[in-house]
Amino acid sequence: MARINENYLKLPGSYLFAEIARRVAKFKNENPEADIIRLGIGDVTRPLAPAVIESLHKAVDEMGQAATFRGYGPEQGYEFLIEKIIEGDYAPRGVKLDVEEVFVSDGSKSDVGNIQEIFGIDNIVAITDPVYPVYLDSNVMAGRTGEYKNGRFEKIVYLPCNAENNFVPALPKEKVDMIYLCVPNNPTGTTLSKAELKKWVDYARENDAIIFFDSAYEAYIQEPDIPHSIYEIEGAKEVAIEFRSFSKTAGFTGTRCAYTVVPKTVMASTAAGEKYPLNKLWNRRQTTKFNGVPYIVQRGAEAVYSPEGQKQIREIIQYYMTNAKIIREGLESVGLQVFGGVNAPYIWLKTPHNLDSWAFFDKLLTEAHIVGTPGSGFGPSGEGYFRLTAFGSRENTERAIERIKTRLKL
Amino acid sequence: MARINENYLKLPGSYLFAEIARRVAKFKNENPEADIIRLGIGDVTRPLAPAVIESLHKAVDEMGQAATFRGYGPEQGYEFLIEKIIEGDYAPRGVKLDVEEVFVSDGSKSDVGNIQEIFGIDNIVAITDPVYPVYLDSNVMAGRTGEYKNGRFEKIVYLPCNAENNFVPALPKEKVDMIYLCVPNNPTGTTLSKAELKKWVDYARENDAIIFFDSAYEAYIQEPDIPHSIYEIEGAKEVAIEFRSFSKTAGFTGTRCAYTVVPKTVMASTAAGEKYPLNKLWNRRQTTKFNGVPYIVQRGAEAVYSPEGQKQIREIIQYYMTNAKIIREGLESVGLQVFGGVNAPYIWLKTPHNLDSWAFFDKLLTEAHIVGTPGSGFGPSGEGYFRLTAFGSRENTERAIERIKTRLKL
């Protein structure tokens, strides 16, 4: 008799966005005239850069001619793209990578979800809290956790990030093996300095742990001295796997291209204590269970690295970061405590009067007709916080802040 | 200390294509003037259909304008494509499906590799032999096998398919839980009748087993009465998951789009014996670890279902199937025993004089300067067989057969 993977039954259900939709629908039903502004959206809204569009068209034409048609490409991605990634994203920061250390994929969600497959089931997983749910859920599904009790999974080490510790997670007291770090952070919009990140690299080296470094938002970093890549930290190439994406960097959320860096020097152990390169395991995983990114899309991603492409995507990022500034300053002007939004498109606010996250959601919706995301949806330490994002249009962002200033009863 | 997934170490290494490349390189080095023809290729060579190209261009333009730009789409695929799939591929065969039963993905390789994740580790897996390696390797990596000994994995039930049983696998004597069937078959090019397939559906219903039905080559079926979908068989909706792809149907090997059908009525059990719908588990898997297929690509796939798209892809398939006929008849004319090539783009030949697969590879390469694929590379029962494919150009196919007739010493 075929049996299911019962680990799936431990998952409490992806309740967050369904519940948001339910509450918004109810409000709209009762207030049909309300003009709701959505600042909860974690998705880009600006169109693809002209340089990318041009490159996509050219690649489509190639696919229509026998002489230039492309069938299966390398599962790891085309070298034309990998070389641009290394030259464009790493060489300028003094990070040297081999083409075999970069794996192009259809998205960081796939990669951060799949990476745990190459690890044993008994590893102890640490996540920051609040957190992007995929890190946790993929490990639940694989069986690396116990049951879900009181908002937490047994066996998982939660690393709280809140105003009290300035959103800098403390090193775990217990020994952990797999550590997920998202910098700049989703959902808090905060980041880590080189010195703070170095503590994690040192911990991983001392404890033979692996760091999964999700830097999907690195292009939003505005301040100097904030590391864009974990490989800027000495020793990181022994312990860290880095995830990057074109989703937020170049508006590829609906176009799908990302990449994962697995240096050949990152090792984990067999039960017998032998070191084994993770690059080889990830290559085997990808060549067995993945067939590469569309040629057309890889040509689109390549265009991001052209001088025009770079200029165009920087303008789009600046557009969003101006929104972030408007939101941040607007919220501060009415006395709210605000985090993030300086090096990331996310603004994380402390709810006023110790309201819980859902109570503030209802308040913002009913008083200002604005939809955001309750912080508690990202983990127990998100309770009492609330996420707004800079991905809306300028007009809606400005209107939303005007409403918060004039309609929200604080 | 982070531990690796040691199941990966059981894999003997993907030796087949590397060894082919090595032997061809050696031969070329020693015979620089030789004009080698490759009939080993499992990849399409004809360009995308004009209707698809037009649709791709249109979608690229949409992505360049704010009003029509698309960000994250549904992980399960856009309804505009799912509805076309149901209307175009299933309704004409009397198969009714709900939009929530079809999951669009980046490829059947991903789906057949990932599907095992929603099943428990103790299930017994049956594969036909020879076989597309992903079914087996993905289960090895997940830990559903023992060690690899004498060309076989412990715990796996191999179902031999050879000339003796006319490539119709016999029902397993032992009880199995997960059954992989590829029809029309890669690598043998053979197929199953409705009556033969019904035996499998009946077996699965009686034994609470699940059938993974890979019909990536269904568009190549030429004869009537060969089932295109397993859901043409009564009761299959209780026990079968079907995989389809645009790769071979519409030349999407480098464009990446496929889909998987998981009827809501397909169930597997919990340890407590409760039935649980696999549709719900697959939906959870996909929404957690996948972020959908590029909007542009889904619009390209949609165009396959337009009247012009259908006409154009049928012409391309006919082109390949004419190649298949040329190969089949050419091989038969020199007295070789040949299978497949009637309802599939693969021709499976019995090596003459009981040569082993690699000896025939060397003979074909050195005498006729043709590269094919040794059958033993697909499993122990592939020994003594050899695969040629119809995906080359007409000119090369004709030249290859001429060489086999005139140069191969039989």
Side-chain angles (χ1 to χ4, degrees):
Chain A
M1 179 161 37
R3 288 271 178 82
I4 65 165
N5 174 353
E6 295 202 38
N7 294 309
Y8 276 63
L9 306 184
K10 296 175 187 163
L11 292 165
S14 45
Y15 150 92
L16 180 62
F17 292 100
E19 179 62 17
I20 290 173
R22 194 190 66 78
R23 294 195 188 204
V24 173
K26 181 166 178 285
F27 179 77
K28 259 207 122 147
N29 193 40
E30 291 162 4
N31 303 274
E33 80 301 335
D35 169 28
I36 292 170
I37 299 178
R38 289 173 190 275
L39 288 189
I41 189 170
D43 192 2
V44 298
T45 54
R46 309 300 302 160
L48 292 180
V52 172
I53 293 292
E54 193 186 323
S55 187
L56 289 169
H57 276 306
K58 193 160 163 272
V60 170
D61 282 333
E62 288 179 56
M63 294 299 280
Q65 303 296 326
T68 50
F69 173 79
R70 307 269 187 144
Y72 292 122
E75 286 99 342
Q76 302 89 343
Y78 280 105
E79 276 198 26
F80 66 73
L81 177 55
I82 293 175
E83 282 165 1
K84 291 280 172 22
I85 289 168
I86 294 173
E87 276 167 41
D89 291 343
Y90 290 97
R93 301 193 171 273
V95 178
K96 282 180 77 171
L97 293 174
D98 186 276
V99 289
E100 290 180 357
E101 296 179 313
V102 178
F103 297 80
V104 175
S105 83
D106 66 315
S108 277
K109 185 178 174 188
S110 309
D111 289 351
V112 301
N114 294 331
I115 194 75
Q116 47 76 29
E117 292 179 24
I118 64 172
F119 291 87
I121 292 300
D122 294 330
N123 291 302
I124 300 297
V125 173
I127 55 164
T128 55
D129 170 27
V131 75
Y132 175 56
V134 174
Y135 312 150
L136 179 58
D137 292 355
S138 58
N139 278 294
V140 174
M141 287 149 69
R144 270 183 214 91
T145 72
E147 296 300 322
Y148 184 68
K149 284 182 186 162
N150 306 320
R152 287 178 170 79
F153 279 96
E154 295 168 339
K155 269 193 77 180
I156 292 285
V157 175
Y158 289 78
L159 307 167
C161 295
N162 49 39
E164 285 69 50
N165 63 15
N166 206 21
F167 300 94
V168 178
L171 294 174
K173 291 184 192 75
E174 50 279 84
K175 231 164 152 352
V176 302
D177 307 303
M178 295 163 60
I179 302 159
Y180 291 83
L181 295 178
C182 178
V183 185
N185 190 256
N186 174 17
T188 69
T190 59
T191 186
L192 295 178
S193 69
K194 277 192 185 173
E196 286 152 356
L197 199 50
K198 181 154 192 320
K199 287 183 198 164
W200 283 97
V201 171
D202 291 345
Y203 172 92
R205 293 172 78 186
E206 280 158 28
N207 293 280
D208 288 317
I210 302 295
I211 295 172
F212 304 112
F213 192 76
D214 183 349
S215 58
Y217 298 93
E218 73 67 40
Y220 290 80
I221 295 173
Q222 310 287 309
E223 295 180 320
D225 298 330
I226 304 290
H228 287 241
S229 164
I230 195 166
Y231 305 120
E232 294 177 50
I233 311 298
E234 197 201 324
K237 270 190 171 184
E238 293 166 30
V239 293
I241 291 174
E242 180 161 296
F243 304 90
R244 291 250 189 130
S245 172
F246 294 93
S247 283
K248 305 296 161 71
T249 303
F252 270 50
T253 53
T255 304
R256 315 301 316 139
C257 196
Y259 63 88
T260 290
V261 180
V262 189
K264 291 182 181 174
T265 41
V266 183
M267 304 274 175
S269 296
T270 64
E274 240 172 297
K275 295 280 186 186
Y276 199 92
L278 296 180
N279 180 284
K280 218 171 147 182
L281 292 180
W282 185 243
N283 189 58
R284 183 72 206 220
R285 194 270 164 210
Q286 292 297 84
T287 53
T288 301
K289 296 174 77 177
F290 182 61
N291 229 336
V293 171
Y295 170 72
I296 296 165
V297 170
Q298 291 190 64
R299 284 294 186 199
E302 183 192 23
V304 169
Y305 295 98
S306 68
E308 314 76 57
Q310 282 292 301
K311 186 168 167 288
Q312 292 160 1
I313 66 156
R314 299 279 164 222
E315 281 167 11
I316 296 166
I317 289 167
Q318 223 37 66
Y319 177 94
Y320 294 134
M321 289 311 289
T322 302
N323 286 350
K325 190 164 183 277
I326 291 167
I327 298 170
R328 204 163 36 85
E329 293 178 353
L331 297 177
E332 283 173 344
S333 78
V334 296
L336 288 166
Q337 199 182 3
V338 180
F339 308 95
V342 176
N343 295 302
Y346 295 120
I347 291 91
W348 190 246
L349 67 93
K350 182 81 196 75
T351 59
H353 316 303
N354 286 318
L355 286 175
D356 73 34
S357 299
W358 279 110
F360 186 75
F361 175 91
D362 290 335
K363 181 180 173 67
L364 194 64
L365 178 61
T366 53
E367 292 176 8
H369 303 178
I370 295 170
V371 177
T373 313
S376 55
F378 298 98
S381 295
E383 183 56 271
Y385 293 88
F386 199 81
R387 191 186 79 172
L388 295 175
T389 87
F391 288 127
S393 69
R394 177 66 41 78
E395 191 198 350
N396 276 346
T397 303
E398 285 171 342
R399 286 170 62 223
I401 294 304
E402 186 55 32
R403 289 187 191 175
I404 285 173
K405 287 181 182 172
T406 56
R407 299 198 209 166
L408 198 66
K409 299 179 191 112
L410 289 164
Chain B
M1 179 163 33
R3 289 272 178 82
I4 65 164
N5 174 353
E6 295 202 39
N7 293 310
Y8 275 64
L9 306 183
K10 296 174 187 165
L11 291 165
S14 44
Y15 148 94
L16 179 63
F17 292 99
E19 179 62 15
I20 290 173
R22 194 190 66 76
R23 293 195 190 205
V24 173
K26 181 167 178 283
F27 179 77
K28 259 210 124 146
N29 193 39
E30 290 163 6
N31 303 273
E33 80 300 336
D35 168 29
I36 292 171
I37 299 178
R38 290 174 190 272
L39 289 188
I41 189 170
D43 192 3
V44 298
T45 54
R46 308 302 301 161
L48 292 180
V52 172
I53 293 291
E54 195 187 321
S55 188
L56 289 169
H57 275 307
K58 192 162 163 268
V60 170
D61 282 333
E62 288 180 55
M63 295 297 281
Q65 302 296 327
T68 50
F69 174 78
R70 306 269 188 146
Y72 292 122
E75 287 100 341
Q76 303 89 341
Y78 279 104
E79 275 198 26
F80 66 72
L81 177 56
I82 293 174
E83 281 166 2
K84 291 281 175 14
I85 288 167
I86 293 173
E87 278 167 40
D89 291 344
Y90 289 97
R93 302 195 170 273
V95 178
K96 281 179 79 171
L97 293 174
D98 185 277
V99 289
E100 289 181 357
E101 296 180 312
V102 177
F103 296 80
V104 175
S105 82
D106 66 315
S108 277
K109 185 180 175 187
S110 308
D111 289 350
V112 300
N114 294 332
I115 193 76
Q116 47 76 31
E117 292 179 24
I118 64 171
F119 291 88
I121 292 301
D122 294 330
N123 290 303
I124 300 296
V125 173
I127 55 165
T128 55
D129 170 27
V131 76
Y132 175 56
V134 173
Y135 312 150
L136 180 57
D137 292 356
S138 57
N139 278 294
V140 174
M141 287 149 70
R144 271 183 214 90
T145 73
E147 297 298 323
Y148 184 68
K149 284 182 185 161
N150 306 316
R152 286 178 171 80
F153 279 95
E154 294 169 339
K155 269 192 77 179
I156 292 285
V157 175
Y158 289 77
L159 307 167
C161 295
N162 48 40
E164 286 69 49
N165 63 14
N166 206 22
F167 301 94
V168 177
L171 294 174
K173 291 186 192 74
E174 51 280 84
K175 232 163 149 358
V176 302
D177 308 304
M178 295 163 61
I179 301 159
Y180 291 84
L181 295 178
C182 178
V183 185
N185 190 257
N186 173 18
T188 69
T190 59
T191 186
L192 294 178
S193 69
K194 279 192 183 171
E196 286 154 356
L197 199 50
K198 180 152 194 321
K199 287 181 199 165
W200 283 97
V201 171
D202 291 344
Y203 173 91
R205 292 173 77 186
E206 282 156 27
N207 294 278
D208 288 319
I210 302 295
I211 296 173
F212 304 111
F213 192 76
D214 183 349
S215 58
Y217 298 94
E218 75 63 42
Y220 290 80
I221 295 174
Q222 309 287 308
E223 295 180 320
D225 298 331
I226 305 289
H228 287 241
S229 163
I230 195 165
Y231 304 121
E232 294 177 50
I233 310 299
E234 197 201 323
K237 270 190 170 183
E238 295 166 28
V239 292
I241 291 173
E242 179 161 294
F243 304 91
R244 291 249 187 130
S245 173
F246 295 93
S247 282
K248 304 299 161 66
T249 302
F252 270 51
T253 53
T255 304
R256 315 301 315 139
C257 196
Y259 63 88
T260 289
V261 179
V262 189
K264 290 182 181 174
T265 40
V266 184
M267 304 274 175
S269 297
T270 64
E274 239 173 298
K275 296 281 185 185
Y276 200 92
L278 296 179
N279 180 285
K280 216 171 148 181
L281 293 180
W282 185 243
N283 189 58
R284 184 73 207 220
R285 194 271 165 212
Q286 291 299 83
T287 52
T288 302
K289 297 173 76 178
F290 181 60
N291 230 335
V293 171
Y295 170 72
I296 297 165
V297 170
Q298 291 189 65
R299 283 294 185 198
E302 182 192 24
V304 168
Y305 295 97
S306 68
E308 314 76 55
Q310 281 292 302
K311 186 169 167 287
Q312 291 160 1
I313 67 155
R314 300 279 164 221
E315 281 168 10
I316 296 167
I317 289 167
Q318 222 37 66
Y319 177 94
Y320 294 134
M321 289 311 289
T322 302
N323 286 350
K325 189 165 185 279
I326 290 167
I327 297 170
R328 205 163 34 86
E329 292 178 355
L331 297 176
E332 281 173 347
S333 78
V334 297
L336 287 165
Q337 199 182 2
V338 180
F339 308 95
V342 176
N343 295 302
Y346 295 120
I347 291 92
W348 190 246
L349 66 93
K350 181 82 196 75
T351 60
H353 316 304
N354 287 318
L355 285 175
D356 72 34
S357 298
W358 279 109
F360 186 75
F361 175 91
D362 289 336
K363 180 180 174 66
L364 194 65
L365 178 59
T366 53
E367 293 175 9
H369 303 178
I370 295 170
V371 177
T373 313
S376 56
F378 298 99
S381 294
E383 183 58 272
Y385 292 89
F386 199 82
R387 192 187 78 172
L388 295 175
T389 86
F391 287 128
S393 68
R394 177 65 41 78
E395 190 197 352
N396 276 347
T397 303
E398 284 172 343
R399 285 169 62 224
I401 293 305
E402 186 57 30
R403 287 187 192 175
I404 285 173
K405 286 182 181 173
T406 55
R407 299 197 209 166
L408 198 66
K409 297 180 192 111
L410 291 164

